[in-house]
């Protein structure tokens, strides 16, 4: 103490008080900025050109965060094209997921008894709880999109070619980690959506020949998803997959820096990689140009995400999971629709007659001893990732120029179209127009699904509570309910929907019988609680028997369906 | 093409980057601030109301599946089966948020906790003894931990649903919980069954009628109509307008009962324990599977239920 004091006193004596304070302050400042003086930082903030020699490269040698970033980029990679900043955004969303995820972990318990009530707690009792959950969920969905686009961009610009093959390979692992994280997180809310989407997903694994049941048992911890499965998915979601993700992200990023950002294909000679040979006049320094650029993109992405979550976006939460009740039209998460589509082969192949498709089914089941579901879902599904991973190693073409890669670009385009088609065919309503992949039931139950689904929103539940006037309403073109225009309108919609189903057959060739009579019945059960019943009397088009389809829902004034 | 090219090769100037970046940061902070402010003031309360409402909806579903058959769809209780849950005696009375009358049931049994706790405890673990000779059954244990089929969240939801009645508890025409130990005046003993009727009762059970129909003290089925007072109903049913417009051809009570067994589609009554009676559920084959003598005894037994 005394020594420091003595030095300080000496300094003040020799240089004066003001200069001493300035010098000491700058000292501290430079320690924080790893070598940049206040004037340098001010120049960066003002966008001034760097003085010579450039002091702004100093942090790159002195500090951790800057030393992992390149000192300069090639001018050609600083425009939107060719990177579109998709790699940066992927990393950003990964970071957002980690931060919001940690916040949610504080309030979440991974047990079937507590998980759903933790969710309710987060939504009703935790400040920023709903906001952070929305950020986490929307961020996850956007991350899948961004990561996929990032991969497509890399494919299109041919950036996976020598020397970046391994970067691409780690990228495919990161894609799988993204999907795995998204999927494992899907189960955690423990609602019907979570439970059944994951049941479907893991039952695909179950179907694999030989190892399937073992894999399934490892994932679920029991034959069915329960306490063990929830805990395992939680651990996958918060420990194992993020760990693998971070390791591969580090390697991926190291490779990116090691080889530099690939230049637009037409800027370098065929077979040559000149990303690291940047002539001084083409260099754009990281400080301040690249840094401010990146900060701008990060700020825009976060603003859009946060404003979305503060306004229109709400992460879904359905009713508590119930292993005994399977909601109609259960689907896997949207990024696995294509896998569901694969399971429907050969019934979704255009121009293939239905009989032939059935024949193929039987042939592969009886003669090859493997059902098409197993073949396509278990064998071919994972092969897609293997195929992606080996792309750089099997593509013999050294050129990155678009004009010289017509075959590969066409194959890539076809692959994208195929995945989109399979995704369409994978959803229960199937491909529009042709109806391939349609898995609907009898027409009345489809009406029930549309107007009063087991989970989620249906038309009949959108009637404002004060317009749910107690009574029995015959479904007709003009129900004529006084003072309830919305009720009237929705019953009318129901009527026209029925008329449509009477006149047009669904993709299974099923029509609603002409003698169908439907009623909507509204009963008050309790103060602020009504029961709405949809009753459809019809003649079954397959058996010719008179049938009665009834479905009901309870609607509370405040439940905001 | 040139527009696309302009966009993808666009390079924002330093000033533009700073301005757009700052605007975005302000937008981000504003979104956080607005969320935080609304969470502190009203949003959490609204969310709470929303999820309480959804709990009531889920509870209603459980109630109608499990509880309504004994406590009644309106919660007013069913004679011989279960006491009222929507009554002042059970729920107490509130004015606004202030309790002006305590639940008589909780006072009677000296329950220390609150009503929500009592409902959840009874729903989950049941009541091992009958409170009085008024009820035919004890309260079953519905909680999974006690061998029942309801999860904890379902029990919580059903309690939320029952407590929702306390906004406007019912006062009249109900069967309230009796005080513990209070003996009820035994009901007049029913007229003993004749040997034919006794044989009819055996036929009723032997042919599985009890799977779907309830008869007080005999069967607990809850799919088809309750037959506890079928004799009384049948005595007048064939004269009713509804019946006359149906395919039914009966002209006496016995004929009506006979027809209901061998041709159940002829006339389907409106109300069943779980709502509207579905047509086509009762098999039309009993005319063939029940022997002629048994059928006669069965009709005579059912006609005696008054």
């Amino acid at each position: 103490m005394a020594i420091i004091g003595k030095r300080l006193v000496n300094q003040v004596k020799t240089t004066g008080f003001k200069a001493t304070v300035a010098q000491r302050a700058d000292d501290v400042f430079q320690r924080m900025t790893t070598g940049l003086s206040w004037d340098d930082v001010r120049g960066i903030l003002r966008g001034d050109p760097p003085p010579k020699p450039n002091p702004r490269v100093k942090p790159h040698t002195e500090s951790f965060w800057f030393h992992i970033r390149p000192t300069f980029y090639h001018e050609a990679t600083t425009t939107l094209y060719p990177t579109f900043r998709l790699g940066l955004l992927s990393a950003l969303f990964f970071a957002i997921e980690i931060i919001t995820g940690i916040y949610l972990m504080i309030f979440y318990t991974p047990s079937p008894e507590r998980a759903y009530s933790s969710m309710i707690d987060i939504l009703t009792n935790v400040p920023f709880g709903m906001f952070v959950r929305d950020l986490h969920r929307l961020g996850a969905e956007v991350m899948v999109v961004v990561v996929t686009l990032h991969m497509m961009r890399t494919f299109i610009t041919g950036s996976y070619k020598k020397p970046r093959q391994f970067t691409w390979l780690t990228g495919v692992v990161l894609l799988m980690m993204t999907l795995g994280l998204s999927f494992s997180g899907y189960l955690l809310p423990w609602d019907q959506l979570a439970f059944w989407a994951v049941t479907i997903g893991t039952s695909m694994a179950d179907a694999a020949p030989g190892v399937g049941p073992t894999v399934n048992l490892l994932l679920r911890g029991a034959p069915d998803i329960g306490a063990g499965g929830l805990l395992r998915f939680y651990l996958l979601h918060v420990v194992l997959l993020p760990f693998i993700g971070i390791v591969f992200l580090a390697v991926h990023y190291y490779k990116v820096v090691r080889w530099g950002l690939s230049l637009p294909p037409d800027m370098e000679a065929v077979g040559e990689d000149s990303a690291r040979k940047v002539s001084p006049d083409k260099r754009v320094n990281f400080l301040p140009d690249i840094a401010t650029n990146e900060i701008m993109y990060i700020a825009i992405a976060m603003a859009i995400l946060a404003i979305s979550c503060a306004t229109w976006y709400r992460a879904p939460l359905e009713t508590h999971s119930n292993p005994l009740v399977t909601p109609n039209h259960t689907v896997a998460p949207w990024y696995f629709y294509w896998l569901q589509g694969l399971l429907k082969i050969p019934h979704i192949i255009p121009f293939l007659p239905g009989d032939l498709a059935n024949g193929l089914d039987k042939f592969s089941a009886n003669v090859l001893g493997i059902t098409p579901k197993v073949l396509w879902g278990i064998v071919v599904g994972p092969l897609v990732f293997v195929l992606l991973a080996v792309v750089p190693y099997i593509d013999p073409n050294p050129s990155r120029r678009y004009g010289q890669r017509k075959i590969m670009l066409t194959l890539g385009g076809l692959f994208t179209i195929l995945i989109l088609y399979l995704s369409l065919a994978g959803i229960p309503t199937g491909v529009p127009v042709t109806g391939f992949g349609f898995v609907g039931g009898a027409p009345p139950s489809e009406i029930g699904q549309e107007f009063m689904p087991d989970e989620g929103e249906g038309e009949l539940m959108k009637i404002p509570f004060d317009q749910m006037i107690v009574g029995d309403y015959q479904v007709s073109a003009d129900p004529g309910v006084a003072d309830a225009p919305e009720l009237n309108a929705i019953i009318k919609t129901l009527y026209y929907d029925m008329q449509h189903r009477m006149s047009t057959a669904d993709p299974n060739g099923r029509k609603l019988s002409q003698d169908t009579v439907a009623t909507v019945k509204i009963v008050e059960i309790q103060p602020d609680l009504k029961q709405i019943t949809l009753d459809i009397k019809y003649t079954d088009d397959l058996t010719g028997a008179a049938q009665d389809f009834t479905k009901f829902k309870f609607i509370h004034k405040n439940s905001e369906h | 093409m040139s527009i696309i090219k302009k966009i993808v090769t666009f390079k924002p100037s330093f000033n533009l980057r700073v301005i757009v970046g700052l605007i975005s940061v302000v937008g981000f902070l504003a979104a956080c601030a607005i969320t935080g402010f609304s969470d502190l003031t009203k949003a959490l309360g609204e969310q709470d109301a929303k999820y309480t409402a959804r709990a009531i909806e889920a509870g209603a579903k459980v109630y109608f599946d499990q509880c309504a058959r004994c406590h009644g769809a309106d919660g007013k209780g069913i004679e011989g089966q279960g006491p009222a849950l929507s009554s002042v005696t059970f729920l107490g009375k509130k004015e606004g948020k202030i309790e002006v009358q305590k639940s008589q049931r909780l006072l009677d049994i000296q329950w220390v906790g609150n009503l929500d706790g009592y409902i959840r405890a009874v729903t989950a673990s049941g009541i091992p003894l009958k409170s009085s000779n008024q009820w035919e059954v004890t309260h079953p244990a519905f909680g999974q931990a006690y061998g029942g089929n309801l999860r904890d969240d379902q029990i919580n939801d059903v309690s939320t649903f029952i407590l929702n009645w306390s906004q406007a508890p019912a006062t009249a025409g109900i069967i309230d919980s009796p005080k513990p130990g209070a003996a009820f005046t035994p009901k007049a003993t029913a007229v003993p069954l004749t040997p034919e009727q006794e044989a009819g009762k055996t036929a009723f059970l032997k042919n599985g009628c009890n799977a779907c129909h309830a008869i007080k003290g005999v069967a607990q089925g809850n799919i088809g109509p309750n037959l506890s007072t079928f004799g009384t109903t049948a005595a007048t049913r064939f004269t009713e307008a509804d019946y006359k417009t149906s395919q039914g051809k009966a002209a006496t009570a016995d004929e009506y009962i006979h027809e209901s067994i061998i041709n159940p589609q002829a006339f389907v009554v409106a109300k069943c324990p779980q709502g509207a009676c579905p047509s086509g559920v009762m098999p039309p084959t009993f005319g063939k599977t029940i022997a002629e003598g048994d059928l006669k005894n069965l009709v005579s037994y059912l006609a005696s239920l008054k």
Side-chain angles (χ1 to χ4, degrees), chain B residues 33 37 48 54-56 60 74 88 94 117 128 179 242-243 245 285 300:
Chain B
F37 184 72
D48 199 35
R54 294 195 173 183
I56 292 173
D74 52 6
V88 174
K94 278 183 185 169
K179 289 195 191 305
D242 268 8
Y243 181 75
T245 55
T285 51
S300 127

Side-chain angles (χ1 to χ4, degrees), chain B residues 28-299:
Chain B
F28 173 78
L29 291 177
C32 295
I34 290 169
T35 313
F37 184 72
S38 77
D39 271 4
L40 288 176
T41 50
K42 61 180 197 321
L44 287 180
E46 284 171 8
Q47 285 295 106
D48 199 35
K50 174 174 151 183
Y51 284 102
T52 307
R54 294 195 173 183
I56 292 173
E57 289 173 0
K61 207 159 184 307
V62 177
Y63 183 87
F64 279 83
D65 281 350
Q66 309 279 350
C67 318
R69 75 179 76 144
C70 289
H71 293 289
D74 52 6
K76 288 185 180 174
I78 293 176
E79 198 179 342
Q81 299 285 328
L85 301 177
S86 62
S87 69
V88 174
T89 316
F90 187 74
L91 294 169
K93 206 171 177 181
K94 278 183 185 169
E95 273 169 18
K97 283 188 174 172
I98 299 157
E99 193 177 47
V100 291
Q101 188 181 328
K102 275 198 175 331
S103 160
Q104 189 57 42
R105 176 67 180 161
L106 295 196
L107 293 176
D108 284 348
I109 60 165
Q110 297 174 15
W111 181 265
V112 186
N114 61 11
L115 193 56
D116 178 48
Y118 176 64
I119 296 173
R120 286 190 287 121
V122 170
T123 312
S125 60
I127 303 177
L129 296 168
K130 287 194 270 185
S131 313
S132 79
N133 58 358
Q134 191 184 3
W135 317 122
E136 287 174 1
V137 288
T138 55
H139 197 290
F142 286 101
Q144 280 180 349
Y146 303 90
N149 60 346
L150 294 185
R151 301 183 310 266
D152 283 357
D153 62 287
Q154 290 176 311
I155 290 168
N156 294 346
D157 289 348
V158 88
S159 174
T160 316
F161 168 79
I162 290 167
L163 290 174
N164 190 41
W165 264 312
S166 56
Q167 292 182 45
T171 46
I174 47 180
I175 304 130
D176 274 320
S177 310
K179 289 195 191 305
F184 269 70
T185 325
K187 293 194 175 166
T189 321
V191 184
L193 298 178
T194 64
E196 292 94 67
Q197 289 166 352
E198 200 63 62
K201 185 174 167 184
T202 313
F204 180 85
L205 296 171
K206 198 177 78 187
N207 288 290
C209 309
N210 55 331
C212 295
H213 294 284
I215 291 175
K216 199 174 156 189
V218 178
Q220 306 266 345
N222 72 331
I223 307 289
N226 188 316
L227 301 180
S228 299
T229 57
F230 195 33
T232 317
T233 323
T236 53
R237 174 60 49 75
F238 60 91
T239 62
E240 287 167 11
D242 268 8
Y243 181 75
K244 288 195 166 156
T245 55
S246 74
Q247 300 163 21
K249 299 189 188 75
T252 67
D254 283 4
E255 277 177 33
Y256 172 68
I257 295 173
H258 187 258
E259 181 188 77
S260 305
I261 300 168
I262 62 164
N263 182 13
Q265 287 300 315
F267 176 75
V268 181
V269 299
K271 250 182 103 177
C272 276
Q274 299 184 347
C277 284
S279 72
V281 167
M282 178 156 161
T285 51
F286 287 122
K288 293 179 195 131
T289 55
I290 305 180
E292 189 58 39
D294 273 356
L295 195 58
K296 211 174 139 199
N297 292 337
L298 186 55
V299 171

Side-chain angles (χ1 to χ4, degrees), chain A residues 43 98 102 119-120 159 164 248 269 309-310 329 408 512 515 549:
Chain A
I98 290 177
I102 288 173
M119 299 308 296
I120 302 281
S159 305
R164 297 187 181 77
F248 273 84
C309 292
H329 288 194
M408 211 56 187
L512 194 60
D515 59 353
F549 172 86

Side-chain angles (χ1 to χ4, degrees), chain A residues 101 186 263 273 422 426 485 505:
Chain A
Y186 224 80
L263 301 179
D273 183 65
L422 285 172

Side-chain angles (χ1 to χ4, degrees), chain A residues 111-156:
Chain A
S111 92
E113 287 79 28
R114 296 286 310 144
Y116 188 78
S117 56
S118 313
M119 299 308 296
I120 302 281
D121 276 349
I122 287 171
L123 295 175
T124 62
N125 264 325
V126 176
F128 292 105
M130 187 168 77
F131 183 61
V132 173
R133 176 171 183 248
D134 291 345
L135 285 175
H136 194 72
R137 177 65 184 257
L138 184 61
E141 311 251 359
V142 176
M143 188 172 161
V144 174
V145 175
V146 170
V147 167
T148 311
L149 288 175
H150 180 46
M151 191 184 70
M152 286 168 76
R153 191 287 292 176
T154 312
F155 181 84
I156 291 168

Side-chain angles (χ1 to χ4, degrees), chain A residues 44-45 47 78-81 123 128 130-131 289 292 300 303 320-321 526-527 554-556 558-561, chain B residues 8-9 11 14 17 20 24 28 32 35-36 39 47 50-51 53-54 57 60 64 151 153 161 164-165 167:
Chain A
I44 289 170
L45 291 176
T78 56
T79 53
L80 205 50
Y81 171 82
L123 295 175
F128 292 105
M130 187 168 77
F131 183 61
D289 279 334
T292 46
I300 293 175
H320 194 289
S321 74
Q526 272 188 346
F554 296 98
I555 309 282
H556 190 279
N558 298 332
S559 63
E560 295 175 34
H561 281 295
Chain B
V8 299
T9 56
K11 213 169 158 182
F14 185 83
R17 291 199 290 261
V20 173
S24 302
F28 173 78
C32 295
T35 313
D39 271 4
Q47 285 295 106
K50 174 174 151 183
Y51 284 102
R54 294 195 173 183
E57 289 173 0
F64 279 83
R151 301 183 310 266
D153 62 287
F161 168 79
N164 190 41
W165 264 312
Q167 292 182 45

